[in-house]
Amino acid sequence: MKSRFLSGPYVLWMVLFTLIPLGVVFYYAFTDSVTGAFTLANLGSMVNYWPIFLRSIWLSIFATVICLIIGYPVAYFIAHCKPTTQRLLQMLVMLPMCMSFLLRTLAWVALLEDTGIINNVVMSLGLESLPLIRNNGAVILGMVYNYLPYMILPLYTVLMKIDNRLVEAAQDLGCNSRQIFSKVTLPLSIPGIVSGITMVFVPAVSTFYISQKLGSPDTILIGDVIEMQFKSAYNPNLGAALSLVLMVLIFICVGIMNRFSDEDEEGMVTV
Amino acid sequence: MMKRLFSLLLCALLLLPLLPVRSNAAEPVTVNLYNWGQYLSDGSDGCIDVIAEFEAKYPHIKVNQMTFDSNESMYTKLTAGGSSFDLIIPSDYMVEKLIEEDMLLPINHDNVPNFQYVDEAFRNPSYDPGNVYSIPYTWGSVGVIYNSAYIAEEDVAAQSWDLLWNEKYANKILMFDNPRDAFAIAQYRLGYSINTEDPEELEACADLLREQKPVVQSYVMDQVFDKMQRAEAWIAPYYAGDYLLMAGENEDLRFYRPKEGYNLFVDSICIPKGAEHKEEAELFINFLLEPEICGGNLEYIGYSSPETASKDFMDPEVAQSPVAYPPEEEIAIGTSFSALSQEATQYMNALWLTVKTADTATTVYLILTIIAIVLVIVLWLLFKVRRRKEKARRCQKWKTQ
């Protein structure tokens, strides 16, 4: 009873600031920007934006995969340190998050630009300047840099909690270190992988600032298009429709992933 | 117990933003000014600090400045509501649009006696006959800024907008990030009026802008300062006044007004509907028009002054600069914006969106997507087969036991 009482404010908060706005998004997505009448035209015009949707999703997938590849060993390493070192390393991972997201991205611009720090060094060595910025790679780099902590932290939490006795048992039963990893550690860390992937992929796919700063006019992402609808083109209805479609696409992507992880867990039990 | 109390406290904190902020009567009145970026002298480089001077003269008023980077974004913020500004500084065509849509308050000229200093040429403009809603703040022109250290002489000899399409400088060219200014450049190149509402002409302009996209480094407004000053970009169309500011930082920068024609504009101070402190706002307008303040302010921001009297308070070099005050024959080829109809504006916005979202490399993603979908299906089937085998094996085991 008491716990229900305590969750009251949060439920109220959810209704006021999540459910009602979601309803507003729905309403806008299905109405005309001038007359306010019901229309499917906003959703119909999505066909013009499919290349941008695809690009957003692909760049985010690449960024997520890279985050996983970098993040997993880091999380594994941190989880196997002494508790005091762990706390220090955990703080180091979170440290960049204490700084403004915009500032961090601008710092990358200053590094990668044609007249930036890296290219200045390169040119002072007498080499041609490198095309480091305004391409897909730079956008992915920006995403990886900004969202890596969101991958490491859930992985670390899960890896830290794995019961060491399971590892010992596997050793006793004759597993070599590779088998321990693939049969014990990896399957047990799947919940961390899933939440890490979700926490990186979802914000990456809807991001807008990174692509504006690190990308070229050709690497515009769906988040940029949505921002433009509200900031300059003033067509909130199309903006709402774009957000809605993006939301559905994210649900589908996350849904597919969860499907696979469920399968994996079932498979694991029998091993 | 402590924990529960603490969580209750946290929940209460969540509701804090809902409480209305109460203002104290003894507190100074705050005038909210919504201005372009870098468009009011702020006291740097030994220039006057307009807001500080004003607050010193009228201690009961505080000026709070927020900035926008294009007429369109200012308009969007104004129409979206939720914010209350006492002063805005739109350009000519935007003033006309705002008047048409009944979004401005008439200015009480009794509170603005310094209007007498404004030159005859800038009074009674076509966009606001009788200056009922707007007071001219600055005027200026649009031209091409380029970096003479990197751009060859022969490429600028023609003094044309064509430079912005020159493939030789691909990836070093900037472009306006607002539809009106961007379309105007295409319109000058194609020889159309910059106030055309003809859909076919607008489409031709959009095609021209789309053609330019591969050589554009990025679409910018205020970032132009940083990019041009550090030579990250070499060519940009922008406002003459801002060029003067940039040239102060980088001596290689040059400016010309293209021969095909260019945009002449007047930016005016207006009071939008919903202003909470109209009288204090008028006091600020009057203060800005004082020749001494106007001169000091415009000397810093580099835009041209609509008050001849203010030039006495400027550095003579600035007051006689041909960039800020073009000679008669150059003024003659400049044209001004007027407000477009709602439909034409929307059409232009839609076209602009297609320019900015036009895509070149889609096939790669399409192929990747098809491969991914096939992979997902194959993996899915594999899992199913494996699970079935697993099950069969388990059944087998169970049976043999």
Side-chain angles (χ1 to χ4, degrees):
Chain A
M1 205 49 213
K2 267 190 183 148
S3 69
R4 189 181 292 174
F5 167 71
L6 273 179
S7 69
Y10 179 67
V11 170
L12 185 75
W13 180 266
M14 272 279 282
V15 171
L16 272 179
F17 298 110
T18 308
L19 289 182
I20 294 177
L22 211 59
V24 175
V25 169
F26 260 93
Y27 172 78
Y28 267 87
F30 287 102
T31 50
D32 190 79
S33 63
V34 182
T35 57
F38 173 82
T39 176
L40 289 172
N42 293 322
L43 288 175
S45 62
M46 282 313 108
V47 289
N48 301 329
Y49 300 108
W50 68 262
I52 300 174
F53 272 113
L54 279 187
R55 182 188 305 118
S56 304
I57 290 173
W58 274 110
L59 292 188
S60 317
I61 288 176
F62 286 134
T64 312
V65 169
I66 295 172
C67 275
L68 184 61
I69 292 170
I70 300 175
Y72 200 98
V74 173
Y76 189 87
F77 173 74
I78 298 177
H80 287 82
C81 284
K82 277 186 302 191
T84 43
T85 331
Q86 273 187 29
R87 242 168 307 182
L88 179 77
L89 290 174
Q90 202 188 348
M91 209 188 67
L92 280 177
V93 168
M94 284 198 289
L95 198 61
M97 288 161 76
C98 305
M99 250 178 294
S100 161
F101 166 73
L102 305 183
L103 210 64
R104 276 179 280 153
T105 311
L106 280 178
W108 272 111
V109 175
L111 275 173
L112 300 178
E113 269 180 336
D114 293 351
T115 53
I117 295 167
I118 294 175
N119 268 325
N120 269 336
V121 171
V122 168
M123 279 191 287
S124 69
L125 296 173
L127 301 165
E128 281 278 295
S129 76
L130 307 166
L132 297 173
I133 201 170
R134 292 187 287 274
N135 47 44
N136 288 330
V139 177
I140 293 175
L141 174 71
M143 287 177 176
V144 169
Y145 178 74
N146 277 306
Y147 300 123
L148 190 57
Y150 299 101
M151 178 64 86
I152 295 178
L153 292 179
L155 280 174
Y156 159 71
T157 315
V158 169
L159 285 171
M160 196 185 59
K161 283 200 185 128
I162 290 179
D163 193 339
N164 207 36
R165 284 173 302 183
L166 290 175
V167 178
E168 281 163 11
Q171 273 168 337
D172 289 347
L173 294 171
C175 278
N176 60 30
S177 54
R178 222 181 63 204
Q179 283 169 321
I180 292 174
F181 180 75
S182 63
K183 294 204 186 252
V184 181
T185 314
L186 188 63
L188 285 174
S189 63
I190 276 177
I193 296 178
V194 170
S195 66
I197 289 179
T198 316
M199 283 173 75
V200 172
F201 178 74
V202 173
V205 81
S206 56
T207 190
F208 63 94
Y209 190 74
I210 295 173
S211 49
Q212 278 168 24
K213 290 290 150 194
L214 295 170
S216 73
D218 273 333
T219 56
I220 191 169
L221 298 184
I222 201 66
D224 299 304
V225 180
I226 296 174
E227 191 219 2
M228 266 152 57
Q229 297 307 323
F230 289 93
K231 209 183 143 201
S232 51
Y234 199 56
N235 192 347
N237 303 73
L238 183 56
L242 285 163
S243 316
L244 206 63
V245 171
L246 181 61
M247 212 162 74
V248 171
L249 286 177
I250 289 175
F251 279 145
I252 292 174
C253 288
V254 173
I256 290 174
M257 203 179 61
N258 283 344
R259 240 351 224 270
F260 275 111
S261 66
D262 289 350
E263 293 283 329
D264 256 4
E265 268 168 298
E266 258 179 66
M268 180 196 82
V269 175
T270 58
V271 170
Chain B
M1 196 57 210
M2 270 309 277
K3 245 186 195 165
R4 203 164 287 173
L5 257 175
F6 185 63
S7 57
L8 256 178
L9 205 75
L10 277 181
C11 292
L13 267 178
L14 284 177
L15 294 170
L16 212 61
L18 296 177
L19 293 176
V21 181
R22 208 179 295 172
S23 65
N24 201 321
E27 296 257 306
V29 172
T30 302
V31 170
N32 287 314
L33 165 66
Y34 199 30
N35 190 7
W36 296 77
Q38 308 250 34
Y39 214 38
L40 192 67
S41 184
D42 57 3
S44 56
D45 301 337
C47 288
I48 61 163
D49 186 337
V50 176
I51 291 180
E53 297 264 328
F54 179 74
E55 286 173 351
K57 194 170 173 188
Y58 302 98
H60 68 290
I61 306 175
K62 261 184 71 74
V63 179
N64 176 26
Q65 186 179 210
M66 277 157 283
T67 61
F68 56 84
D69 59 12
S70 72
N71 280 299
E72 284 68 25
S73 59
M74 186 269 306
Y75 175 80
T76 306
K77 183 119 185 210
L78 219 54
T79 43
S83 46
S84 135
F85 300 111
D86 300 295
L87 286 167
I88 52 173
I89 307 193
S91 304
D92 33 37
Y93 72 97
M94 191 47 76
V95 174
E96 194 179 343
K97 188 178 166 77
L98 291 172
I99 294 174
E100 267 172 25
E101 295 178 18
D102 195 22
M103 287 169 69
L104 298 180
L105 290 175
I107 291 168
N108 182 355
H109 278 251
D110 294 340
N111 292 339
V112 194
N114 285 338
F115 185 63
Q116 57 170 320
Y117 297 115
V118 173
D119 293 350
E120 202 54 51
F122 295 97
R123 290 193 196 184
N124 205 11
S126 62
Y127 56 83
D128 177 21
N131 286 99
V132 180
Y133 298 97
S134 70
I135 306 283
Y137 177 60
T138 67
W139 63 282
S141 54
V142 175
V144 176
I145 305 167
Y146 66 95
N147 191 320
S148 57
Y150 299 98
I151 307 297
E153 278 293 327
E154 68 264 21
D155 290 319
V156 290
Q159 305 248 306
S160 157
W161 289 113
D162 293 352
L163 184 61
L164 296 172
W165 271 259
N166 193 332
E167 279 167 25
K168 205 167 131 191
Y169 304 110
N171 231 339
K172 289 291 176 187
I173 298 171
L174 301 177
M175 188 62 183
F176 274 120
D177 191 14
N178 77 74
R180 202 71 209 265
D181 280 323
F183 271 74
I185 292 174
Q187 282 154 348
Y188 284 123
R189 268 199 88 189
L190 292 170
Y192 301 148
S193 152
I194 55 168
N195 295 310
T196 180
E197 298 198 353
D198 180 358
E200 267 175 38
E201 290 189 352
L202 288 176
E203 242 161 78
C205 293
D207 286 340
L208 195 59
L209 292 171
R210 224 169 279 139
E211 194 185 298
Q212 183 201 21
K213 197 178 173 187
V215 301
V216 173
Q217 179 184 96
S218 54
Y219 294 96
V220 296
M221 290 304 290
D222 282 340
Q223 297 106 290
V224 75
F225 287 96
D226 183 55
K227 293 206 172 216
M228 290 301 285
Q229 282 163 11
R230 290 187 305 106
E232 178 68 18
W234 300 336
I235 304 169
Y238 221 64
Y239 312 114
D242 292 322
Y243 158 70
L244 290 173
L245 215 57
M246 284 177 231
E249 303 286 324
N250 185 338
E251 286 172 1
D252 291 328
L253 297 182
R254 301 282 181 274
F255 178 85
Y256 65 82
R257 276 177 280 263
K259 292 276 176 276
E260 296 103 325
Y262 62 89
N263 177 221
L264 271 174
F265 60 85
V266 178
D267 288 347
S268 307
I269 324 174
C270 303
I271 303 179
K273 280 225 163 128
E276 282 168 11
H277 307 290
K278 184 164 180 280
E279 260 172 51
E280 287 81 0
E282 282 162 348
L283 218 53
F284 188 69
I285 297 177
N286 194 44
F287 183 77
L288 284 177
L289 289 180
E290 255 171 51
E292 191 180 347
I293 301 298
C294 179
N297 182 25
L298 297 192
E299 181 180 321
Y300 171 74
I301 66 176
Y303 280 65
S304 322
S305 169
E307 296 180 18
T308 310
S310 71
K311 289 191 190 172
D312 298 341
F313 299 94
M314 283 185 200
D315 186 349
E317 206 179 302
V318 176
Q320 281 151 22
S321 152
V323 171
Y325 302 97
E328 283 297 322
E329 65 273 17
E330 243 189 296
I331 291 262
I333 57 167
T335 47
S336 304
F337 287 132
S338 56
L340 300 178
S341 69
Q342 184 88 36
E343 295 81 58
T345 306
Q346 269 189 354
Y347 191 59
M348 189 189 269
N349 282 344
L351 283 175
W352 177 239
L353 197 66
T354 65
V355 171
K356 283 192 72 174
T357 58
D359 234 279
T360 43
T362 52
T363 38
V364 182
Y365 297 109
L366 198 62
I367 293 166
L368 273 174
T369 309
I370 293 168
I371 294 173
I373 291 172
V374 170
L375 257 178
V376 165
I377 294 171
V378 168
L379 277 177
W380 179 251
L381 291 175
L382 272 178
F383 268 115
K384 268 202 156 158
V385 170
R386 207 181 91 180
R387 208 166 62 171
R388 200 170 297 159
K389 271 191 186 159
E390 205 82 43
K391 222 173 177 182
R393 206 185 69 194
R394 256 183 291 166
C395 287
Q396 201 87 44
K397 253 189 191 168
W398 184 74
K399 265 185 202 158
T400 50
Q401 274 169 7

